[in-house]
Amino acid sequence: MMVKQGTIEYVRTVVADMKGRALTSPGDAKYAKEIATALENGNLRYVLVQAVENSGKYAGAKLEYFNIF
């Protein structure tokens, strides 16, 4: 199934993938649990952070906030 970034389905897919890597990456299991709990409680904030294009030098970042609920 294809999911679009910035949607609740995308978050659920990422959490499921992180849980699937729990044996090889224990940190993923911890963060997956935190994200899932925040999602269940309705207080998860979804922010997309993208670097501003520039020729090899830091030029800041663009933040995009999503309402996933």
Side-chain angles (χ1 to χ4, degrees):
M1 177 171 96
M2 295 291 293
V3 293
K4 184 176 177 184
Q5 190 166 349
T7 65
I8 198 165
E9 293 83 9
Y10 180 85
V11 175
R12 288 182 178 143
T13 300
V14 170
V15 169
D17 288 347
M18 291 173 77
K19 286 180 180 177
R21 293 190 300 264
L23 292 177
T24 58
S25 182
D28 277 2
K30 175 187 174 217
Y31 295 122
K33 184 176 180 180
E34 289 179 16
I35 294 167
T37 299
L39 191 59
E40 289 171 16
N41 293 336
N43 60 4
L44 182 69
R45 298 175 99 195
Y46 190 115
V47 182
L48 174 64
V49 179
Q50 290 183 308
V52 173
E53 295 280 335
N54 198 356
S55 60
K57 295 187 178 195
Y58 179 71
K62 174 185 159 194
L63 303 179
E64 185 175 352
Y65 294 84
F66 292 90
N67 180 5
I68 61 171
F69 296 104

